[in-house]
């Protein structure tokens, strides 16, 4: 079952689906399960910086040409901003499926807080530089830079929402820099939209001091960093956002996603929640799952493309 809020408020509407009453809920997918999803296209690995983790995978849809440039989704994987938990392979199935559906993808790797140079500010600078590199890619490949969507999963959802907001960073911010390109919108897939809220329960989800390691301090001790980095503190984005996850996603619970949407719409943004009944946190990164298909369709919708064919 899929439920979706209205575009300007978190009210829900239901459709058919879900498990039969009394049926035991199936085991939720894990990060490692997503890593085993077969890929049709491994993509072209391209460096956007000098560090070994500053690279992305570019996938182009069939038929893309200089006379038929493809829209592009910039994709940021999750993993609690901690390298042992996830890598670019975790977001590759989504990137691959999008390319098969007609959307070019730039799947970005970056340094996490445990990598030399990562954390504050390197993690942010990496995803910003990776996103800005699409300008260079468009000089070499048939990419339409007027049709860009950002998408990120879990911790990558925080980074994707932050990317959408970085155009409004104060020049005095340590995160200021680069030249952000206009985007059509952002899809947060089980994303961490409120770093202060997540800090209170990160030990039960990430199992490590994720937020303070990313920011270089607990939120109350680094309020300026929190304001510059936490998506809910960066409102309004100025572009639409879609927040997708399963109703069994305990890393990005429905209530937290709806709280962000309420705050965003109050600031004038268009934002909505999409919840897939029966799915969890990693099903949304798996193209053959209902939540994964919803992510693909949300990205396509922001690009004014029709829903994909399952």
């Amino acid at each position: 079952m899929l439920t979706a809020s209205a575009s300007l408020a978190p009210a829900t509407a239901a459709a058919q689906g879900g498990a039969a009453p009394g049926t035991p809920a199936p085991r939720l997918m894990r990060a490692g399960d997503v890593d085993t999803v077969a890929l049709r296209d491994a993509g072209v690995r391209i460096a956007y910086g000098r560090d070994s983790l500053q690279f992305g995978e570019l996938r182009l849809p069939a038929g893309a040409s200089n006379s038929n440039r493809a829209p592009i989704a910039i994709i940021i994987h999750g993993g609690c901003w901690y390298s042992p938990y996830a890598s670019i392979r975790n977001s590759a199935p989504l990137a691959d499926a999008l390319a098969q559906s007609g959307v070019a993808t730039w799947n970005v790797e970056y340094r996490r807080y445990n990598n030399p140079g990562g954390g504050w500010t390197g993690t942010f600078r990496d995803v910003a530089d990776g996103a800005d590199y699409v300008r260079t890619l468009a000089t070499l490949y048939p990419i339409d830079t007027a049709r860009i969507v950002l998408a990120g999963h879990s911790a990558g959802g925080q980074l994707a929402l932050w990317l959408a907001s970085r155009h409004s960073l104060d020049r005095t911010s340590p995160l200021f820099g680069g030249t952000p390109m206009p985007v059509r919108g952002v899809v947060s897939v089980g994303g961490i939209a409120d770093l202060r809220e997540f800090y209170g329960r990160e030990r039960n989800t990430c199992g490590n001091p994720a937020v303070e390691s990313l920011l270089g301090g607990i939120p109350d001790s680094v309020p300026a960093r929190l304001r510059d980095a936490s998506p809910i503190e960066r409102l309004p984005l100025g572009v639409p956002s879609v927040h997708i996850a399963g109703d069994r996603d305990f890393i990005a619970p429905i209530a937290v996603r709806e709280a962000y949407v309420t705050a965003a719409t109050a600031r004038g943004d268009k934002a909505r929640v999409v919840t897939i009944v029966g799915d969890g946190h990693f099903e949304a990164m798996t193209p053959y799952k209902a939540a994964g298909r919803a992510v693909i369709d949300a990205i396509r919708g922001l690009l004014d493309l029709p829903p994909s064919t399952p």
Side-chain angles (χ1 to χ4, degrees):
M1 183 188 295
L2 180 151
T3 64
S5 76
S7 61
L8 296 180
T12 60
Q16 293 296 319
T23 302
R27 178 182 75 81
L28 293 175
M29 294 186 72
R30 301 164 182 156
D33 298 323
V34 183
D35 287 346
T36 66
V37 174
L39 305 175
R40 296 185 185 183
D41 179 3
V44 178
R45 182 167 290 195
I46 301 169
Y48 64 82
R50 295 183 178 181
D51 191 272
S52 63
L53 291 172
Q54 293 171 330
F55 68 89
E57 293 173 349
L58 179 67
R59 292 174 172 86
L60 296 173
S65 66
N66 285 333
S67 61
N68 183 34
R69 290 182 169 261
I72 187 166
I74 300 171
I75 301 176
I76 313 294
H77 71 78
C80 293
W81 310 279
Y82 183 53
S83 65
Y85 285 177
S87 72
I88 197 171
R89 181 61 176 87
N90 204 241
S91 45
L94 172 62
D96 185 39
L98 278 165
Q100 301 299 323
S101 81
V103 178
T105 54
W106 176 232
N107 188 20
V108 177
E109 188 57 281
Y110 55 97
R111 292 172 295 177
R112 275 77 82 194
Y113 68 73
N114 62 301
N115 298 128
W120 188 269
T121 58
T123 294
F124 296 88
R125 287 270 22 111
D126 280 4
V127 296
D129 291 346
D132 291 352
Y133 198 73
V134 169
R135 278 196 185 85
T136 300
L137 294 175
T139 67
L140 304 170
Y141 299 94
I143 294 166
D144 184 355
T145 57
R147 292 186 293 165
I148 301 174
V149 166
L150 303 170
H153 176 240
S154 197
Q158 177 265 324
L159 292 168
L161 290 164
W162 175 81
L163 280 173
S165 77
R166 64 187 266 254
H167 63 89
S168 63
L169 281 167
D170 190 271
R171 285 181 167 271
T172 62
S173 170
L175 302 184
F176 181 83
T179 308
M181 288 181 292
V183 300
R184 294 285 187 92
V186 56
V187 177
S188 174
V189 187
I192 308 305
D194 185 338
L195 291 179
R196 183 190 298 277
E197 184 278 334
F198 188 67
Y199 170 73
R201 56 189 178 86
E202 63 181 7
R203 298 283 182 163
N204 296 326
T205 53
C206 291
N208 56 20
V211 172
E212 57 263 53
S213 297
L214 176 71
L215 297 179
I218 64 173
D220 285 344
S221 71
V222 287
R225 295 184 182 188
L226 185 73
R227 286 194 301 271
D228 283 352
S230 183
I232 202 166
E233 304 279 347
R234 305 285 312 136
L235 293 170
L237 298 181
V239 296
S241 63
V242 184
H243 304 260
I244 301 178
D247 68 335
R248 298 173 67 198
D249 186 334
F250 306 112
I251 294 176
I254 297 171
V256 175
R257 287 181 282 128
E258 289 185 340
Y260 178 91
V261 166
T262 297
T265 55
R267 296 294 303 275
D269 279 349
K270 291 184 178 180
R272 62 189 178 99
V273 170
V274 176
T275 299
I276 311 300
V277 175
D279 280 355
H281 191 62
F282 292 99
E283 283 78 3
M285 292 299 283
T286 310
Y288 62 81
K289 294 289 187 177
R293 293 195 299 271
V295 171
I296 292 170
D297 286 343
I299 292 170
R300 289 177 61 85
L302 290 172
L303 293 167
D304 297 323
L305 297 173
S308 61
T309 301

